[in-house]
Amino acid sequence: MKSVAWIFRPTSRLLVAGLLMTTHALAAQPEHIPVRVVVVTTFELGNDTGDKPGEFQAWVERFPLPQTIPFPQGYRTLRYNPDKQVLGIVTGEGSLRGAASIMALGLDERFDLSKAYWIVAGIAGIDPAAASVGSAAWAEWVIDRDLNFEIDAREIPPDWSTGHIPLGRGKPFQLPAPPLDRFNGVNGYHLNTGLVDWAYHLTEHVKLEDTARLRAVRAGYPDYPNAQKLPFVLKGDEVAASDWWLGERMNTLAQQWVAYWTQGKGRSVTTAMEDCGVLTSLSFLAQTHRISLDRVLVLRTGSDYTVPAKGQTVAQLLESEASEDDVLSAYLESLEAAYKVGSPVVDELVKHWDRYRDVTPGS
């Protein structure tokens, strides 16, 4: 017995020491970083501050988001305001980067996102039939236009209006429309109507910037009454697609595509790339209860029109927008609108967190 005790005593000491070290390590670990709101942007041109701005810069400089948090598994370093508990992310452009970056953030154990609100605040193409450049649209529906059959326009039957056909159907806009969520993909997302309405009514009277540049752009669209308006805040839905499409025919397709998939409830206003990817990741994360999909908002502001001006060809419009060295027709104004309309919503949620932590506005 004496020899057996001698054999086990060092092992016991090692076990105790290991338990003490583990306990100390757990005690030393920081708690999850609390997050009340995640501001989602898609690109930044250079530095976060002090140079030519992208979607992120106004939030970093003016909200502000002073703290830098490494994010090697994502596209770009995160920013955080520890007093307001607001986190900012740049996903990278396109639905693939958008989906990957949001999934990486959602699985990051450093953050407590269980009560967080998410607001996508980015620029977009805008339909002149619906609104003017520099305007800001809160989306209730985000409809994917990438998931479809496609026939080259030179080969479509003469009685077809388009070569884009819904998966599961044999002709354009064949009824009944398939469900939005099918085995071969999700053709769109319907956001929390109450929350979208709340955000819209909170910001509908925000005065947006009008400039000589915007007035010059609007002058090219005399046949579109809504394109002639001063920039304003509205509710308007989004077509998400990986291709940057332009022209009257593609614009009509977007209008019809949204009407088809929403059974006439949605209205195509903006077009962007990332948001179905972002929402796909958020919907998967919601299944694990890491986030709440009912707390997601999408705000897009008009940086350019989706159709050419009067007397301009679609090829000329494409050429004017193709160079990455040039800015879009309402680029700076749309960046400003995204911040001016998005920030009051974030401020309201933060300042009255005791009200909104457990009860989603508009619910």
Side-chain angles (χ1 to χ4, degrees), residues 124-292:
I126 199 160
D127 187 341
S132 53
V133 283
S135 294
W138 293 103
E140 182 177 336
W141 298 86
V142 178
I143 302 300
D144 191 300
R145 213 221 58 195
D146 285 337
L147 290 171
N148 64 156
F149 294 121
E150 183 177 2
I151 298 175
D152 188 281
R154 292 163 291 188
E155 297 181 287
I156 64 174
D159 59 333
W160 285 16
S161 62
T162 178
H164 292 267
I165 301 95
L167 294 180
R169 299 294 179 264
K171 296 180 180 179
F173 309 114
Q174 184 178 349
L175 296 173
L180 279 177
D181 190 349
R182 300 177 71 238
F183 67 92
N184 53 10
V186 179
N187 275 99
Y189 294 89
H190 187 198
L191 303 184
N192 181 346
T193 303
L195 180 63
V196 175
D197 287 342
W198 171 83
Y200 166 67
H201 290 304
L202 186 68
T203 59
E204 62 180 318
H205 299 300
V206 171
K207 184 175 177 58
L208 298 178
E209 183 179 20
D210 189 29
T211 64
R213 182 184 181 90
L214 291 185
R215 291 190 289 272
V217 176
R218 292 199 301 266
Y221 295 81
D223 300 328
Y224 293 92
N226 284 328
Q228 296 298 305
K229 293 180 179 179
L230 299 179
F232 63 102
V233 181
L234 68 155
K235 278 187 62 179
D237 302 310
E238 178 192 325
V239 176
S242 294
D243 61 331
W244 187 325
W245 54 263
L246 300 165
E248 292 281 0
R249 291 180 182 274
M250 301 295 284
N251 197 59
T252 298
L253 170 62
Q255 295 169 350
Q256 295 171 335
W257 199 252
V258 171
Y260 177 78
W261 284 105
T262 66
Q263 300 181 27
K265 299 173 184 176
R267 179 179 61 145
S268 175
V269 172
T270 62
T271 175
M273 296 180 179
E274 298 80 15
D275 294 342
C276 277
V278 168
L279 288 165
T280 296
S281 289
L282 289 175
S283 66
F284 289 170
L285 290 166
Q287 293 172 181
T288 69
H289 308 291
R290 289 176 177 267
I291 70 106
S292 172

Side-chain angles (χ1 to χ4, degrees), residues 34-40 85 87 102 112-121 138-140 142 189-199 278-279 282-283 285-287 289-299 342 345-346 348-350 352-363:
V35 180
R36 297 176 180 179
V37 182
V38 181
V39 176
V40 180
Q85 298 180 2
L87 183 68
I102 294 301
D112 179 4
L113 301 166
S114 59
K115 298 291 185 180
Y117 292 83
W118 300 72
I119 174 170
V120 177
W138 293 103
E140 182 177 336
V142 178
Y189 294 89
H190 187 198
L191 303 184
N192 181 346
T193 303
L195 180 63
V196 175
D197 287 342
W198 171 83
V278 168
L279 288 165
L282 289 175
S283 66
L285 290 166
Q287 293 172 181
H289 308 291
R290 289 176 177 267
I291 70 106
S292 172
L293 201 59
D294 282 341
R295 294 189 166 194
V296 179
L297 290 164
V298 172
L299 174 69
V345 171
V346 179
E348 172 66 16
L349 292 168
V350 168
H352 301 287
W353 187 242
D354 57 336
R355 181 188 310 166
Y356 300 125
R357 181 186 182 278
D358 297 312
V359 178
T360 304
S363 62

